[in-house]
Amino acid sequence: MRVLHIGPQESLLTITVRRGGALARLGHDHVIASRTLQGVVAPALGRAQFQFRLDEMSVDEESLRQAAGLTTTPSADAIAGTRHNMLVRVLDAGRYPWVSIVARRTGNNEVLDAEITLHGVTRTVQLPVRIEQAADGRGLQASGSLLLKQSDFGIVPFAILGGAMAVQDQMELAFRITARQDFSAPGSGASPGR
């Protein structure tokens, strides 16, 4: 069976979170990104399995903020504070360091059933996806986006001042994943048959 390995250097997953609360105008929207996806795709089985570490995610890369249409520019201190709050106060990354996703093809090739495990909670969602042959013909590229709620994973969105400054519960996940036969990354030997 042909197994394709995800290439972290050619893949990107972003999560956009938006500000909320009565004092939202004083805060910033944020783009969190993973460029360290690892995992495998088994096209014949219609399955993919990948994961990434929360502490390897970047916060507010300028190019990603522009691509998401975010107009404010947080300071370096604000970005560092956001990263700390995200990893320690919200996601408890010390206890739950990994996010994992297992996707299966359904009858509709444009929608996958995806089991997302975040913060120790697994939810199954319908994941709209566009799958294309890589330009060189030796792999696949999958892209798509969906809306998720932090509370669905037992996460309490960050808030201060009694909720006057807060992060909205809804988050926007977007991805572009490239998998090829000739990629091999640490941890990419996970079996897609799980």
Side-chain angles (χ1 to χ4, degrees):
M1 174 184 66
R2 183 174 71 130
V3 174
L4 307 177
H5 296 273
I6 292 173
Q9 65 278 15
E10 292 189 52
S11 299
L12 175 68
L13 181 140
T14 61
I15 299 168
T16 303
V17 293
R18 303 203 180 265
R19 56 194 162 177
L23 299 176
R25 70 187 183 286
L26 301 177
H28 299 282
D29 299 328
H30 299 285
V31 178
I32 306 359
S34 174
R35 297 179 182 277
T36 58
L37 299 175
Q38 50 185 264
V40 294
V41 176
L45 296 177
R47 295 178 55 84
Q49 180 176 336
F50 61 96
Q51 60 188 4
F52 60 92
R53 287 186 60 92
L54 291 169
D55 61 2
E56 294 177 344
M57 295 186 81
S58 67
V59 176
D60 288 326
E61 292 178 37
E62 185 57 34
S63 62
L64 297 177
R65 288 183 62 76
Q66 289 176 3
L70 305 185
T71 57
T72 61
T73 303
S75 67
D77 286 345
I79 291 171
T82 297
R83 181 177 174 73
H84 174 80
N85 290 333
M86 174 187 76
L87 293 175
V88 177
R89 294 177 66 180
V90 178
L91 297 176
D92 193 6
R95 187 171 170 197
Y96 307 107
W98 292 93
V99 175
S100 66
I101 301 170
V102 177
R104 295 173 184 84
R105 185 173 45 228
T106 63
N108 178 349
N109 282 333
E110 296 177 2
V111 178
L112 301 177
D113 281 337
E115 292 176 6
I116 300 173
T117 302
L118 167 65
H119 200 248
V121 176
T122 301
R123 294 282 180 252
T124 300
V125 300
Q126 298 291 298
L127 179 62
V129 65
R130 180 177 176 180
I131 300 173
E132 302 174 299
Q133 191 77 18
D136 62 8
R138 294 190 343 234
L140 299 173
Q141 185 170 73
S143 58
S145 63
L146 78 155
L147 300 176
L148 296 171
K149 288 188 175 182
Q150 296 178 64
S151 59
D152 288 344
F153 295 91
I155 298 169
V156 177
F158 182 76
I160 57 173
L161 303 172
M165 282 188 78
V167 172
Q168 293 179 18
D169 190 15
Q170 183 171 277
M171 52 187 175
E172 305 159 27
L173 181 142
F175 60 92
R176 184 194 71 246
I177 298 171
T178 300
R180 301 182 196 277
Q181 284 184 286
D182 52 353
F183 284 149
S184 183
S188 64
S191 169
R194 186 183 86 143

